[in-house]
Amino acid sequence: MTPLVTADVVVICGSTRFRDEIAATNRDLTLAGHIVLAPGVFAHTGDVITGWQKRQLDALHLAKIDRADWVYVVNPGGYVGESTRREIAYAEQTGKPIRYYTEAVTS
């Protein structure tokens, strides 16, 4: 198998309540030849974490944004929560291109 030479690194951002949509997006982007960084813990859908772990996961996700070439926001129905808004702002500050699952972005 020949390795991909020009694979982009993309980070998926979005509410962990969208576990299925994030998994499907991860699959689609991977099959399209991208290296995908995505949430690994889904507190909104049953993964139990402490407040300390939540803060660590938030910091880890910003580090994923640092390593990515671009950001893909999974926002079904245009939903963007507080954590995702913070991640989008961080990506904008660092000059990362951002694409959206759904065009309409609301709070």
Side-chain angles (χ1 to χ4, degrees), residues 3 9 18-20 34 38 54 56 62 64-65 87 95 101:
V9 177
F18 301 125
R19 182 182 212 139
D20 293 340
H34 301 289
K54 167 71 169 115
Q56 290 298 108
L62 296 181
K64 290 177 181 181
I65 293 169
E87 292 162 359
Y101 178 88

Side-chain angles (χ1 to χ4, degrees), residues 9 11 62-72 87-99:
V9 177
V11 61
L62 296 181
K64 290 177 181 181
I65 293 169
D66 287 337
R67 286 157 179 76
D69 295 310
W70 55 281
V71 173
Y72 192 91
E87 292 162 359
I88 292 168
Y90 184 78
E92 289 173 341
Q93 285 179 323
T94 59
K96 304 292 178 170
I98 302 169
R99 298 179 192 159

Side-chain angles (χ1 to χ4, degrees), residues 38-51:
V41 178
F42 294 86
H44 282 102
T45 59
D47 291 346
V48 178
I49 59 172
T50 66

Side-chain angles (χ1 to χ4, degrees), residues 12 18-30 36 38-39 42 74:
I12 296 174
F18 301 125
R19 182 182 212 139
D20 293 340
E21 291 87 346
I22 288 172
T25 300
N26 190 338
R27 178 186 181 279
D28 292 345
L29 290 170
T30 298
V36 181
F42 294 86
V74 174

